Structures are given as structure tokens and as C-alpha cells.
Amino acid sequence: MSTQEFFSFFPQSAARWEDVPVLPLSSLADGLAQLVQQGGRILAFFPLPDGRQELELLAVVGDPDSGALRAARTRVSRTYPSLVSRIPQLHLFEREIAERYGVVPEGHPWLKPVRFPKSSQGPWGPLAPGTGPFFQLEGSQVHEVAVGPVHAGVIEPGHFRFQCLGEVVQHLEIVLGYQHRGVEESFCQQPAKRRLAAVETVAGDSTVAHTLAYCEALEALAGLQVSPRAAALRAVALELERLANHVGDLGALAGDVAFLPTASFCGRLRGEILNLTAELCGNRFGRGLLQPGGFRYDLGAETETTIRQRLADLEPELAASIELMLEAPSVLGRFEGTGRLSAEAARELGTVGVAARASGLPVDSRAQFPSGMYRFLHVPMATASSGDVFARAWVRWLEVQHSLKLVEELLGSLPAGELQGTIGPLQPSSLAVGLAEGFRGEVCHVAVTNERGELAAYKIVDPSFHNWSALAYVMRGQDISDFPLCNKSFNLSYCGFDL
Amino acid sequence: MWSVLKARAKQTAKPYPYPQRLPVLPQRFRGLPSLDASRCQEGCQACAEACPTDAIQVAPWQLDMGRCLFCGRCEEACPPHALTFTREFRLAARKREDLVVSPEKQFQLAQALDRELAALFGRSLRLRQVSAGGCNACEADANVLGTVTFDMARFGVQFVASPRHADGLLVTGPVTENMREALLATYEAVPQPKIVIASGACAISGGPFAGFPAVHNGVDKFLPVNLYVPGCPPHPWTLLDGILRLLGRLREQRENP
């Protein structure tokens, strides 16, 4: 059994580098294919530059049955046979490797740039962002619609290329990279204080999730267990982040189908929840709240009461606003059956988060790979089966209700004790994975240290990295005018993808 | 229909009466920094060392709000409380150098545009927002100015979809190399006369990404900036206050909230 060869470890523990086996590429491919077939998901697949002629690739897979992480390495030279046709989840990872390191996966079905960095080593050389070729349809009735990078609304930039037959989209290609800030490339050279600031701004609306994944990866490498109080408060912060964003997304969905009451109510309610995070740390997005070793701000009895009281007050208001929308026939007419993602497609593409759960996949790292306080909490898995815009809205509403309960539960029984532990030196030549279930889905950080215990490689995988392809996929056969609605129902991050 | 009206009746939210009443910000909100030289211990550089973005200089002692993330690490590293953050949220400035605060210098709030521009835009300003590497926090807290709480439209200020319909740009993000061209093209598409607002530490100085090879450390390397709004991200009230001052809609100076 090839999967036996993979090294198995758990989140919040570090793996020694020498324990992660180096397999021949074919064995790695067999193992990955088998793990994926058993329901595993590729969390990360990336190279570690070590100055040798060959490039070492590390694959990390999450096995939801056992809650364990599986890792293995392989070595490739300038080219290698692409694994994408067997394991579609790898398609963007392979493109990313080709772009940064010039190692070409031969036979990749759609080998194109991912982020268009100036320093691109890709076989296509440095290209201006948004450069084609694009997948094109031919025929006298076919037309192409190009949108972006600057498009309507207060929103990040991206380029969307639709191939249409009349009003119906046959294919959509999404080209990103405009937000590329070079986070990963510059990460390891930065002092620790700057790294933390960069992690907090990987994706602004997921500040807590990304910071949590970063902290847990570092703490695993340092062999530090944060105090129960810090772990509980981290979970409070993460759930508040989910609440604010889900409520905002539901309001945005309402706005997109011109159901203005809910758009307007949710816009305000989201702000009220962001203000609760600001009560914790002074910043509405949770900047400066988490740090390696623990939690920066303690919660006084007074603030605790304020937060619980305000959430209790918000609950009926949220229910009234959101149910109003989900019961309105005019809204359901637009939501139901629009942008359907089948469970099979979601699984093949490696979809995560709300989008995966709305297609019936039980994917939630809080339940499957629990860390911190989530090891002691029961997180209900909110799923739906229709995979359409309605399902993605419905899952969000379920999760709003779950998160309200979780925060109440956490604050109602906050453990006493210290908030901050001292983070010591990192274990040399090791690997650790931080996983946090942000509001969009699983945020994965992989940290690798060198023999001096310094960060040698750092990989960030935002849920958007997996999910943009799913959005493009659901547009097939949809009216082009449904794109904004489908887009909102996924609400993906541009900068989280572009890094 | 009835359920919609019923829900509307229950939702009591109204626009917050700014500027007649000052907003109530959380206890831990970090606004205008205050540098007290009398408490500062000579030879100590703890604040500068704690700063993730090199916003603090020791000799002469000053803090550049254009680089500051308002993370408060400097305040934490200063036991004699020589450096503290007040809850003053009004922080926008017209000139880049006005964002540098020191023990001697009183912070200068943004002055209004000259009479001609203020006459044109004072009662109606349309902005096109361009994110040039912004992480979505600055964008989100600009977007909320459209919600009922802030209701920027009651001052005649709105975001529009097309730069052709805009009077200026609100730029966020450090200006990534990959967005440079699109940003400049968008600016070109805005009819004259036009203004530029740089919102957030990234747009002013590159923020946490200053010095990264893929970014350009702020929008004023490329475009003339009329208003700098510091923060990571700036609080919506900070941004709204800055825009209103720029338009000459707020005459009174400070009183501490």
C-alpha cells in the first residue's frame, strides 16, 4: 500500500524533516491518488528550494477519516510528467510551481501563469498580468466578454473572460494576479514582527483565520501549547470573524437580487459584529489580537458581558433580516438552481468551506482536523445538497446560528489562566501545518525550518486558491447576468489567492 | 409585503448624527499617537524596535502615521507611557509630512480643497475605488460608508462604477506592479479636475509590504495625492471625517472625544 509510506502526523505537532519520506514520483502519485480517492484532500503541494539541481516537492494531504495529516516528498528535475489528469486537485499547484521555479509538468492540460510575477521562471517568461491565450470558442454566434481588472463596485481587481453563446456562458476563465504582493517570496527574509503584520493582511477579512494558522504552525514547531484561556479566546475571535462575514455576505447576496431590506439590515448588523471584535482589541478586523504564544488582550468581565449581551440582542434581529430574504419568493426565484456545483465536481476540484458544504461535502477543518479549543467543542457540520446559490446562502445562515451558540458557549465557560506563553526557538529541520477554518473555508499554512531552526520555506493556501475554479465551473450553462450573483455566493478573496 | 414592512419597523437603525455628535469608539481603539518627551528615557529605543514597519525614529523622536499600522506594539514596549495612543480618530492629512507626529508638533488636520475645487465637489463628490493590492480590509471599511450607520450619501459623496462618472479615485493597497498600469489607466479615465485619496498604510507607504519587490510602496509615487488617510485599515469614521474635511464640510477643529 503506497499510502503507508506517507508520514502521518497531527495538526499542532511538528514532523521531523527526515521522517517525511522521499518517494519516487510515481509512488507519490499513486499514494496521492489513493488518498484522494478515499476522501482525502491535497492541502498543499509546493517545492522547497535547497540550491540543488533537483527540486524537492512536498505534498501534504488531509485525511478526514483519521484526522491525520499525511506528508511525503519527491524530487523532480526540469520537467516531470503532470499528475493533474489523475489528481485534478493539483492543477493550480502545478502551475504555481512552474511559474515560480520553471519546473514544467509535461502534459498539464492548461499550463498558464497563476500570478504573473515579474520574477516568473515559467516557460512563458515574465508576462503582463491578464495576458492570454484564453480558452476560446469558435462559431458565428459565439461572442466573448472581457471584464476587469477594474470592475464595478468597491472590490478587488481580477479579469474575467466569458465565452458566450447568446446570453448563455459556455466557459469562463478567471485570470488573477493583479493583487500579487509577493508575500510568500519575501516572507522568510522578514523579521518576526513584520511577518506577523504580513500574515494579518494576507486576506483582510480573514485576519483571524490566517493569523491563527500562522500561530499554530509556529507553536507546533516551538513545542508550545497555548493556555486554555488563550485557545478559547482565539476561537471566540474566529467565530466573530465568521459571523461578521457571513452576515455581510448574506446582505450582499440580497443586494445582488435587489432585495433591499435585507441588504440594508445586514450591512448594519455586520458592522455591529465587527465592532465587537474591536471591543476585544481596538481593531474591527482583529489585527493585533493573536500572536504566536497566545492572545494579546484579556477580556474583562465587563467586556465579556457586553459582548454576550449584544450578541443576544443581535440574534432576533439577524433572524428577522435573514429569514425575510430566505422566505421571499422573488429571492428564491433567483437563488434556487442558480450556479449549481455538484458534489462530484466539488470533490474533484478540491473545493473547501461554505461552497463544499453547500454541495453536500462534509468538509470543515474545525470538525475534521480540530486544533486549539475546537478539540473540545462540538461544531455542527452545516451542509446542504443542492449546491446552488440558495444552498450557499442557507449554509451561511446555519453557520451564523451555530457561531452565535459557539461564542455564547465559549464565553459562558471561559477558562481562567495566563494568556501569553513564551515562544522559544523553533525545532530545526522540521515541518508543521497550521489549519484554521476561516469563514470562506480552510486556511492552511505550512512552515518548514532549516537546520538552524529558521524558517526556510513558508506556504500559504487560502481557501480561495481551491475555490475560484469552482466558481468558473458553475458558470457553464448559466446566463451571463447571473455571474455577479454566483460570484457573491462564493465570495472569494483576490489577494488571498494572489498572495 | 407585510413581513417586509414589519421587519423595517423593527429595525430602528438610523444614520449616526455625525458630525453633530462624535462617534463612540471602543475603549481599546488606537487613534492619534501622543509622544511625551518628558517621560521618554534617553537611550531607549524600545518603541522603534517593536515597530513592524519602521514607523518610529528615535533621533529626532517621531512617529510616521503613514507607515503606522496602529498595532500598539510600541505603546506596549514603553513602560513609562511616553508613547501612547489616544482615541482621537480624526487623522487624515493633506500633506504626506503632516502625518509625522513628534513631541513638539501639533497634528494638523486636513484642510479643505482650494475654493475652486471645493465649489465643484463640496456638495457632490463621486469616487471610483481602486484596490491596487489592498487586502480587502481598507476596501471593506470604505464600502461600509454606504451603510445606514455612516450613510455617506447624505453628504453627497458616493462610490461609482465607472471612472468616467467619477471626480476622483480612492486608492487602497501598496500599488502592486501588476496593478500599476490599470491604476494609471483608471486615473486617466477620470475627467479633469480630479482628486486622489490614499487610504490606509499600504496606499500611503506600502504598509506591511513596504520594500517587497512586487509592490511600489504607495500611490504618491505615481499620482498626486490630495488626502492621506492613515490606519490599517482606517476606521470608517476616520475616512468619512477626512473626506468631509477635504470638501470643506467640517469647519470646527478638535475637541477630544
Side-chain angles (χ1 to χ4, degrees), chain B residues 27 29 32 44 52 146 213:
Chain B
Q27 278 302 321
F29 176 77
L32 184 71
C44 172

Side-chain angles (χ1 to χ4, degrees), chain A residues 198-284:
Chain A
V199 156
E200 287 186 325
T201 44
V202 163
D205 48 19
S206 301
T207 296
V208 175
H210 273 282
T211 316
L212 180 58
Y214 170 70
C215 289
E216 290 192 346
L218 285 199
E219 286 151 9
L221 285 168
L224 178 88
Q225 182 104 326
V226 300
S227 73
R229 187 173 179 82
L233 286 170
R234 283 175 170 189
V236 170
L238 189 64
E239 295 308 321
L240 285 176
E241 186 172 273
R242 186 181 331 279
L243 274 170
N245 283 300
H246 277 0
V247 171
D249 285 350
L250 287 163
L253 279 167
D256 246 44
V257 296
F259 192 71
L260 298 182
T262 300
S264 153
F265 303 156
C266 283
R268 177 182 69 82
L269 292 166
R270 170 181 168 275
E272 303 261 336
I273 303 166
L274 290 177
N275 288 341
L276 294 181
T277 301
E279 289 293 336
L280 286 175
C281 67
N283 183 295
R284 284 156 52 95

Side-chain angles (χ1 to χ4, degrees), chain B residues 107-208:
Chain B
F107 172 62
Q108 265 298 315
L109 271 169
Q111 302 291 309
L113 289 163
D114 63 49
R115 278 178 64 179
E116 198 184 335
L117 281 180
L120 271 173
F121 299 142
R123 301 203 148 267
S124 162
L125 179 72
R126 299 287 180 270
L127 292 169
R128 168 68 234 194
Q129 202 276 324
V130 179
S131 171
C135 74
N136 200 11
C138 284
E139 291 79 353
D141 263 357
N143 216 0
V144 296
L145 294 182
T147 63
V148 285
T149 315
F150 302 96
D151 194 18
M152 174 172 77
R154 73 198 140 117
F155 302 103
V157 188
Q158 272 176 356
F159 291 117
V160 288
S162 170
R164 302 265 186 224
H165 302 157
D167 304 309
L169 300 183
L170 177 89
V171 184
T172 53
V175 186
T176 55
E177 169 55 20
N178 285 355
M179 259 310 275
R180 181 177 50 87
E181 209 185 315
L183 170 66
L184 298 182
T186 311
Y187 180 73
E188 279 307 310
V190 178
Q192 290 278 9
K194 49 191 160 188
I195 61 166
V196 175
I197 300 172
S199 186
C202 285
I204 301 174
S205 68

Side-chain angles (χ1 to χ4, degrees), chain A residues 335-347:
Chain A
F335 280 15
E336 284 179 345
T338 307
R340 285 202 57 176
L341 179 68
S342 68
E344 190 193 349
R347 198 176 294 121

Side-chain angles (χ1 to χ4, degrees), chain A residues 124-298:
Chain A
W124 47 79
L127 289 175
T131 315
F134 296 98
F135 182 88
Q136 272 184 319
L137 238 61
E138 281 173 12
S140 59
Q141 304 290 306
V142 170
H143 65 107
E144 190 179 78
V145 179
V147 184
V150 177
H151 35 112
V154 181
I155 188 170
E156 295 176 74
H159 182 78
F160 301 83
R161 195 66 74 98
F162 299 88
Q163 310 292 324
C164 301
L165 197 61
E167 291 290 300
V168 180
V169 177
Q170 304 297 320
H171 182 77
L172 161 64
E173 193 163 348
I174 300 173
V175 184
L176 302 175
Y178 297 94
Q179 299 282 72
H180 179 61
R181 296 159 295 179
V183 178
E184 282 181 344
E185 288 91 324
S186 302
F187 197 77
C188 293
Q189 296 92 294
Q190 302 301 320
K193 57 186 182 179
R194 180 73 85 87
R195 277 184 207 145
L196 183 59
V199 156
E200 287 186 325
T201 44
V202 163
D205 48 19
S206 301
T207 296
V208 175
H210 273 282
T211 316
L212 180 58
Y214 170 70
C215 289
E216 290 192 346
L218 285 199
E219 286 151 9
L221 285 168
L224 178 88
Q225 182 104 326
V226 300
S227 73
R229 187 173 179 82
L233 286 170
R234 283 175 170 189
V236 170
L238 189 64
E239 295 308 321
L240 285 176
E241 186 172 273
R242 186 181 331 279
L243 274 170
N245 283 300
H246 277 0
V247 171
D249 285 350
L250 287 163
L253 279 167
D256 246 44
V257 296
F259 192 71
L260 298 182
T262 300
S264 153
F265 303 156
C266 283
R268 177 182 69 82
L269 292 166
R270 170 181 168 275
E272 303 261 336
I273 303 166
L274 290 177
N275 288 341
L276 294 181
T277 301
E279 289 293 336
L280 286 175
C281 67
N283 183 295
R284 284 156 52 95
F285 294 85
R287 304 257 154 100
L289 191 49
L290 279 67
Q291 56 191 13
F295 200 75
R296 190 153 159 236
Y297 293 98
D298 207 353

